[in-house]
């Protein structure tokens, strides 16, 4: 029998908290097809922010309350999001690298067809995370709560969940490599036959035995 290699952890970028030399700015600066570099947005509220096809480099977003954020096809690199709240975060087809989100609360996150590489998501609540057809690599979820993670048809590699609750996980037709679920508290898995490329503990599998049995038509009594 061939040796089974260890699950590879995410390769996370070094991200110092609290960047220096950032320009204090108003949310009204964030508009479609515009570039923002080295700016800090702090303690503000807004109904809708549309950053479609914009670019954000070396920016910080702290303590913001925004009902709807539209950032479709936006390019994001080296961005910190801290203690922010939004009901709808539309980041379809976004290109995001080397970023971090901490202590945030998101309602629906539409990240389908996104490309997200090198990100830490820590202490966040996400009601619905749509990653359909997305490419996600080197991502760590730590101490998060996720209502539903829809990763159907996505490509996931080197993703880990530490101390994170996932109520519903769906990975139908997803391509997974080094997806570490050992730190996740899973309540429901849809299409368990699509878990190839993930890592789970024996204790998790035992806890979810009824879910696995139902998925392949076994009746338990």
């Amino acid at each position: 029998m061939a040796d089974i290699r260890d699950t590879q952890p995410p390769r996370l970028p070094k991200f110092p908290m609290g960047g220096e030399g950032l320009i204090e700015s108003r949310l009204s600066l964030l508009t479609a097809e515009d570039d923002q570099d080295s700016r800090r947005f702090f303690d503000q509220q807004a109904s809708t922010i549309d950053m479609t096809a914009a670019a954000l480099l070396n920016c910080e977003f702290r303590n913001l309350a925004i009902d709807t954020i539209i950032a479709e096809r936006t390019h994001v690199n080296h961005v910190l999001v801290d203690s922010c709240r939004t009901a709808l975060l539309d980041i379809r087809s976004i290109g995001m690298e080397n970023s971090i989100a901490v202590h945030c609360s998101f309602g629906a996150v539409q990240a389908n067809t996104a490309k997200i590489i090198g990100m830490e998501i820590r202490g966040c609540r996400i009601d619905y995370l749509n990653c359909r057809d997305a490419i996600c690599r080197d991502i760590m979820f730590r101490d998060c709560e996720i209502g539903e993670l829809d990763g159907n048809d996505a490509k996931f590699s080197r993703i880990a969940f530490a101390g994170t609750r996932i109520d519903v996980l769906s990975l139908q037709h997803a391509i997974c490599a080094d997806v570490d679920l050992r730190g996740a508290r899973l309540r429901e898995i849809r299409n368990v036959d699509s878990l190839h490329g993930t890592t789970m503990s024996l204790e998790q599998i035992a806890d979810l035995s009824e879910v696995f049995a139902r998925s392949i038509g076994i009746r338990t009594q």
Side-chain angles (χ1 to χ4, degrees):
M1 180 182 296
D3 292 337
I4 300 176
R5 66 176 178 81
D6 292 338
T7 302
Q8 299 299 303
R11 301 170 186 171
L12 299 177
K14 295 186 181 298
F15 198 112
M17 299 288 285
E20 298 180 357
L22 301 183
I23 303 169
E24 299 292 339
S25 304
R26 304 299 300 174
L27 288 174
S28 57
L29 277 177
L30 298 173
T31 57
E33 300 182 4
D34 198 7
D35 298 346
Q36 301 297 333
D37 189 350
S38 302
R39 293 189 177 273
R40 178 186 287 114
F41 302 87
F42 173 72
D43 198 21
Q44 299 174 58
Q45 299 182 9
S47 175
T48 301
I49 296 294
D50 187 349
M51 297 182 286
T52 300
L56 305 174
L57 174 63
N58 192 35
C59 292
E60 289 187 2
F61 300 84
R62 294 180 182 268
N63 197 30
L64 305 178
I66 303 170
D67 294 336
T68 300
I69 299 174
I70 303 170
E72 187 177 355
R73 304 191 314 280
T74 296
H75 176 69
V76 176
N77 197 337
H78 206 269
V79 165
L80 167 68
V81 183
D82 185 359
S83 303
C84 295
R85 305 187 310 277
T86 185
L88 174 60
L89 178 58
D90 185 351
I91 53 173
R92 287 174 292 175
S93 302
I94 198 172
M96 180 178 291
E97 301 177 74
N98 307 324
S99 296
I100 184 170
V102 296
H103 307 306
C104 293
S105 178
F106 303 123
V109 178
Q110 300 291 353
N112 38 314
T113 66
K115 186 174 182 179
I116 302 174
I117 300 174
M119 185 170 188
E120 183 174 0
I121 303 167
R122 186 168 69 241
C124 293
R125 177 183 175 86
I126 306 171
D127 293 337
Y128 174 63
L129 177 54
N130 178 2
C131 293
R132 289 190 172 208
D133 296 295
I135 297 173
C136 299
R137 184 169 71 244
D138 293 319
I139 298 175
M140 168 64 81
F141 291 87
R142 192 184 302 277
D143 302 323
C144 295
E145 296 181 6
I146 302 173
E148 179 175 352
L149 198 170
D150 184 346
N152 295 350
D153 299 293
K155 295 181 180 178
F156 289 157
S157 57
R158 291 194 300 270
I159 298 179
F161 301 84
T164 291
R165 190 189 81 196
I166 305 174
D167 291 338
V168 179
L169 175 65
S170 180
L171 296 173
Q172 187 175 19
H173 305 307
I175 299 174
C176 298
D178 296 305
V179 175
D180 194 344
L181 296 171
R182 287 174 293 183
R185 300 187 303 278
L186 303 167
R187 293 190 176 184
E188 178 182 346
I189 299 176
R190 296 175 181 166
N191 310 110
V192 297
D193 55 342
S194 62
L195 292 176
H196 179 77
T198 68
T199 303
M200 299 178 67
S201 69
L202 291 176
E203 291 80 4
Q204 283 176 307
I205 294 172
D207 289 342
L208 290 165
S209 58
E210 186 174 350
V211 175
F212 292 147
R214 277 201 311 269
S215 71
I216 58 176
I218 297 175
R219 184 173 58 211
T220 59
Q221 294 182 335

